[in-house]
Amino acid sequence: MTLEPRARLGVQLQPQHAEYSAIRDAVLRVEELGADVVFNWDHFYPLSGDPDGLHFEGWSMLGAWAEQTERIEFGTLVNCNSYRNADLQADMARTLDHVSAKGGTGRFIFGTGAGWFERDYDEYGYEFGTPGTRLAALAEALPRIRARWTKLNPAPTRDIPVMIGGKGERKTLRIVAEHADIWHSFVQPDELGHKLDVLKRWGDEVGRDVSAITVSNELDRAGQDVEHADALYDAGVRLFTIGVSGPDYDLAPVRRWLEWRDAKNA
């Protein structure tokens, strides 16, 4: 892989267990602290804590984030392809790109995946299917999304970066090889080399040089310390993410990881 020279930090503000005023404030604080990207997620119910606790829909709030921020990139980590028509997703993404541009270049990152949280599907009336059918739907949607971007008037202000989440070797990494600018997973450092080899083989098969794909991984799971982050960096990760949940959105861990990022980039 051709590695980006700089490490970047993304902060996922999980839209659960908090009033929206707390989320709005956290977005501003994350930008002021100097993070590179702010994410939410695309679910309809909390993923931890009280399963019926406070929760907000992700795409709606992204328009507000586009307006209230000035510098930081933003998006979902990650969108569930099943919940919206592919062409609609493209138009929503293009609109967010323009809302965030403010006379310049847009800042939206189109993070997407096949979906997995069965309660969302059941409660909102979507067909859950199987992992295979959901991945097939994602593979079908991505060319439609890119095609729609070429037809919209006005066009996006930039080539909107596509982030794809997942690590499956038979299907997901093929989709990553074909379509992703950023690949996000929870792969451990000792697994990453193998996964990148698989990704390269898929790139060779589909006729794409995957060396420019940015590798993204998570920093906030149990036991992940500086040594773990260093190992991920050495293995090729350049976008690191940390999740923060409501109700209070404690950003002390964000400050710590920003110091680590800055030391890496010094």
Side-chain angles (χ1 to χ4, degrees):
M1 303 291 288
T2 301
L3 299 181
E4 290 188 2
R6 298 179 63 80
R8 304 176 76 224
L9 185 74
V11 180
Q12 184 190 54
L13 296 176
Q14 301 163 358
Q16 60 178 6
H17 308 308
E19 298 291 349
Y20 187 72
S21 58
I23 298 173
R24 180 191 300 117
D25 176 68
V27 172
L28 289 177
R29 288 188 289 143
V30 165
E31 182 172 52
E32 289 169 356
L33 285 173
D36 299 287
V37 191
V38 60
F39 295 107
N40 58 18
W41 64 33
D42 189 25
H43 297 290
F44 306 137
Y45 295 94
L47 298 185
S48 62
D50 179 0
D52 294 312
L54 297 175
H55 196 276
F56 289 97
E57 191 277 325
W59 275 85
S60 301
M61 70 175 62
L62 292 178
W65 291 12
E67 279 289 4
Q68 78 174 102
T69 58
E70 299 294 330
R71 172 198 57 80
I72 199 167
E73 291 189 292
F74 66 101
T76 53
L77 185 60
V78 289
N79 169 63
C80 177
N81 176 67
S82 306
Y83 301 160
R84 301 163 194 88
N85 170 280
D87 294 87
L88 174 61
Q89 293 178 55
D91 204 344
M92 294 166 69
R94 182 281 311 253
T95 299
L96 289 168
D97 169 75
H98 277 268
V99 173
S100 65
K102 301 184 178 180
T105 301
R107 296 174 283 118
F108 178 67
I109 294 174
F110 182 64
T112 193
W116 63 273
F117 189 40
E118 190 169 2
R119 185 184 182 189
D120 283 349
Y121 288 80
D122 292 344
E123 297 264 11
Y124 279 60
Y126 298 109
E127 182 180 350
F128 188 55
T130 67
T133 62
R134 295 193 300 275
L135 281 166
L138 178 63
E140 179 185 356
L142 284 161
R144 287 177 56 189
I145 289 166
R146 290 194 181 278
R148 180 58 56 184
W149 282 337
T150 69
K151 300 173 184 176
L152 291 169
N153 184 15
T157 67
R158 65 172 180 170
D159 291 333
I160 297 174
V162 174
M163 167 189 269
I164 296 176
K167 65 176 184 177
E169 295 181 12
R170 291 193 305 111
K171 296 180 179 180
T172 302
L173 289 182
R174 179 187 178 114
I175 298 171
V176 171
E178 288 189 277
H179 298 290
D181 302 292
I182 306 167
W183 168 49
H184 181 79
S185 77
F186 310 117
V187 173
Q188 297 299 301
D190 58 358
E191 299 178 82
L192 197 53
H194 168 69
K195 295 292 185 181
L196 292 174
D197 287 342
V198 173
L199 181 60
K200 184 180 184 306
R201 290 199 297 270
W202 277 124
D204 293 341
E205 181 160 329
V206 303
R208 184 183 176 210
D209 179 3
V210 299
S211 64
I213 295 176
T214 298
V215 181
S216 172
N217 207 303
E218 203 177 75
L219 281 176
D220 56 335
R221 295 203 167 194
Q224 292 191 354
D225 52 19
V226 168
E227 289 74 20
H228 180 91
D230 287 342
L232 286 172
Y233 182 90
D234 291 343
V237 175
R238 288 298 180 270
L239 176 59
F240 298 83
T241 66
I242 177 171
V244 185
S245 182
D248 299 322
Y249 295 105
D250 177 13
L251 299 185
V254 176
R255 294 183 180 90
R256 179 169 68 92
W257 286 115
L258 284 169
E259 291 176 358
W260 175 86
R261 178 206 65 183
D262 292 345
K264 282 292 180 192
N265 294 337

